[in-house]
Amino acid sequence: MIKSDLINLLSDWNFWQHDIDTGIARPLYQTRLKNLVDTGQTVVITGPRRCGKSYIMRQFAQTLIQSGVDKKQILHINFEDPRL
């Protein structure tokens, strides 16, 4: 895969060039995630398929961006995208 094709594919899943749908706000999860991330430990979100894990991560990415983190410092990869 050519580098430019990969960048275009990844931009579909990231906030780099446009806003991404973040679904219904879940402030409790965002607060818990923020507290866990602040500890410096690795955080793993688990759950059954289609329960909202990706949306929680999108919301957290949006929270980071709103707190001043550069959009280009956040990377989301969807390994189920058939283009990969």
Side-chain angles (χ1 to χ4, degrees):
M1 179 177 279
I2 299 171
K3 181 179 178 180
S4 62
D5 292 340
L6 182 59
I7 297 296
N8 287 333
L9 183 149
L10 290 174
S11 69
D12 289 346
W13 292 102
N14 288 278
F15 289 90
W16 303 336
Q17 299 170 351
H18 58 278
D19 289 334
I20 303 293
D21 180 24
T22 57
I24 298 168
R26 296 175 178 93
L28 177 64
Y29 290 125
Q30 296 308 308
T31 301
R32 288 183 179 180
L33 265 176
K34 177 77 172 108
N35 291 338
L36 288 170
V37 168
D38 288 345
T39 67
Q41 297 179 357
T42 301
V43 178
V44 178
I45 298 175
T46 62
R49 289 180 59 97
R50 304 190 55 79
C51 71
K53 299 179 299 290
S54 294
Y55 277 95
I56 290 170
M57 289 307 301
R58 288 179 194 163
Q59 290 171 13
F60 190 64
Q62 188 176 49
T63 300
L64 291 173
I65 292 166
Q66 290 170 347
S67 71
V69 174
D70 184 8
K71 293 178 180 184
K72 296 193 189 259
Q73 296 295 317
I74 299 170
L75 174 65
H76 175 202
I77 302 174
N78 180 356
F79 289 108
E80 292 189 359
D81 189 321
R83 298 174 292 175
L84 288 173

